[in-house]
Amino acid sequence: MINRRDLLKYSAAAGTALTFPAGTLLALQKGELLQRPIPASGEMLPMMGLGSSATFSRLAGDAEVEPLREVLRTMVDNGGTVFDTAPSYGDSEEVAGEIVNDLGIENDVFWATKVNAVPRGSNGSADPAAARAQIETSFKRIGTPTIDLIQVHNLADIPTQLGILKELKEEGRIRYIGTTSTNPDGYDYLVELMRKEPLDFIGVDYAVDNLLSAETILPLAADRGIAVLIYAPFGRTRLWNRTAGRELPAWAEEFDAESWAQFFLKFVAVHPAVTAITPATSKAQNMLDNLGGAIGRLPDKAMQKRMVDYIAALPQA
């Protein structure tokens, strides 16, 4: 794991915008925090961000604010900006909003939240008034007049909810809009939307043992100029379970991976369509470790295959 002193030194270069040809895999000189552009605007985002599901959500629900404060502070202090949340992640959005405003870093965070006002057990239709109320609650929580990104969560009632997001973007209240899907059953519909709707972002799952989105969705995103947030780069807990008790292979040093987290994250970061990765954590030391997944060399194509084969050969957890 990289230590805080080294990461602070490395992240001093994070403010420099890095550009690269589409489809080119970069092996960055160690010390630079990898950034990628949002295709719709050219705005640069650091590749490693923070998600707020899983343990982050559990601590938020238990009102254990201090560890979450340190996670968010660590991300921002070390060059990260992207924070992904959703109203459905328990108390994550509310607690993070309070922390961000208390720390005075609301302008240093790229706030990515979601909307889903489809009631459980309904016919899949969202109440427009409820959707608008949910969005207004997100505005109150973050405390800024503009939210960077709001996505329709898991493709829920796209005609209603994406329509509302389009209106708010036109009004200048939302900078970017999109939708998410971490269920392969929704991928065909996601592809359809990517082809016909003006999406700035999508959010999908992708990992060294979960390559389905790389078959169609990620190439289409590159072709259509749609930014991509990657969810579940650790397969939630799946990859941790498969590698539990195992030493990192020595050849991981060939792409500057110093932990399993960096092994998994660097695999994801290689894909040129990936804009940012948002692994969830509730520990500051894990946030530092994750940021190391966007520092140093990335695996080349041959190494990627070796990584996939290595993980595939491990027993299923």
Side-chain angles (χ1 to χ4, degrees):
M1 182 183 295
I2 56 177
N3 61 42
R4 181 176 177 83
R5 180 185 301 172
D6 286 344
L7 189 53
L8 284 167
K9 176 180 67 177
Y10 294 157
S11 64
T16 302
L18 304 174
T19 59
F20 54 93
T24 299
L25 304 183
L26 292 186
L28 296 182
Q29 181 179 2
K30 188 155 188 168
E32 297 174 334
L33 186 64
L34 177 63
Q35 300 188 31
R36 288 204 175 144
I38 300 171
S41 66
E43 177 183 355
M44 303 300 295
L45 286 183
M47 279 205 76
M48 204 58 59
L50 171 64
S52 61
S53 60
T55 59
F56 191 106
S57 177
R58 287 197 290 275
L59 262 64
D62 292 339
E64 295 185 43
V65 174
E66 192 56 33
L68 304 183
R69 179 188 300 270
E70 289 307 309
V71 169
L72 283 159
R73 189 200 303 271
T74 297
M75 179 185 73
V76 171
D77 283 355
N78 293 285
T81 64
V82 180
F83 177 70
D84 181 85
T85 189
S88 62
Y89 295 169
D91 295 314
S92 291
E93 184 181 62
E94 181 175 8
V95 170
E98 292 172 355
I99 292 171
V100 163
N101 282 279
D102 183 57
L103 292 174
I105 59 174
E106 60 269 19
N107 293 323
D108 299 319
V109 173
F110 185 95
W111 186 274
T113 190
K114 306 177 185 74
V115 60
N116 182 1
V118 177
R120 290 187 179 181
S122 73
N123 62 0
S125 296
D127 177 353
R132 292 181 186 277
Q134 189 180 91
I135 292 168
E136 292 304 322
T137 297
S138 293
F139 274 102
K140 291 177 182 177
R141 287 171 174 171
I142 189 172
T144 58
T146 304
I147 291 180
D148 295 299
L149 168 64
I150 302 183
Q151 300 187 92
V152 178
H153 204 169
N154 289 329
L155 306 171
D157 192 354
I158 289 290
T160 298
Q161 300 194 122
L162 186 61
I164 293 171
L165 296 184
K166 289 177 185 177
E167 292 176 16
L168 293 173
K169 182 183 178 184
E170 183 67 23
E171 294 171 5
R173 299 189 67 202
I174 304 173
R175 298 175 63 221
Y176 304 105
I177 62 175
T179 189
T180 74
S181 178
T182 55
N183 185 341
D185 290 342
Y187 282 1
D188 287 345
Y189 184 35
L190 178 58
V191 166
E192 178 185 338
L193 295 172
M194 291 169 69
R195 293 188 184 278
K196 72 178 186 181
E197 293 287 355
L199 303 177
D200 301 309
F201 273 81
I202 60 167
V204 294
D205 53 324
Y206 179 52
V208 66
D209 68 339
N210 175 20
L211 308 178
L212 185 59
S213 62
E215 295 178 8
T216 303
I217 293 171
L218 297 185
L220 181 60
D223 183 59
R224 300 286 294 174
I226 300 171
V228 179
L229 295 184
I230 294 298
Y231 305 138
F234 303 140
R236 296 180 171 85
T237 60
R238 189 178 60 247
L239 286 170
W240 295 119
N241 292 337
R242 294 188 74 173
T243 57
R246 295 181 180 273
E247 293 290 329
L248 191 69
W251 42 266
E253 69 182 15
E254 296 180 31
F255 52 94
D256 298 323
E258 300 177 5
S259 66
W260 278 115
Q262 294 176 21
F263 181 102
F264 303 140
L265 294 168
K266 282 174 177 277
F267 176 88
V268 173
V270 167
H271 200 293
V274 172
T275 308
I277 310 166
T278 60
T281 185
S282 58
K283 297 181 179 179
Q285 65 267 32
N286 290 347
M287 185 73 249
L288 281 175
D289 192 19
N290 292 346
L291 285 166
I295 292 174
R297 294 173 292 176
L298 297 179
D300 60 18
K301 186 174 181 179
M303 182 61 76
Q304 275 193 293
K305 183 178 186 307
R306 187 175 188 180
M307 296 165 79
V308 170
D309 291 345
Y310 181 87
I311 296 298
L314 296 179
Q316 294 284 348

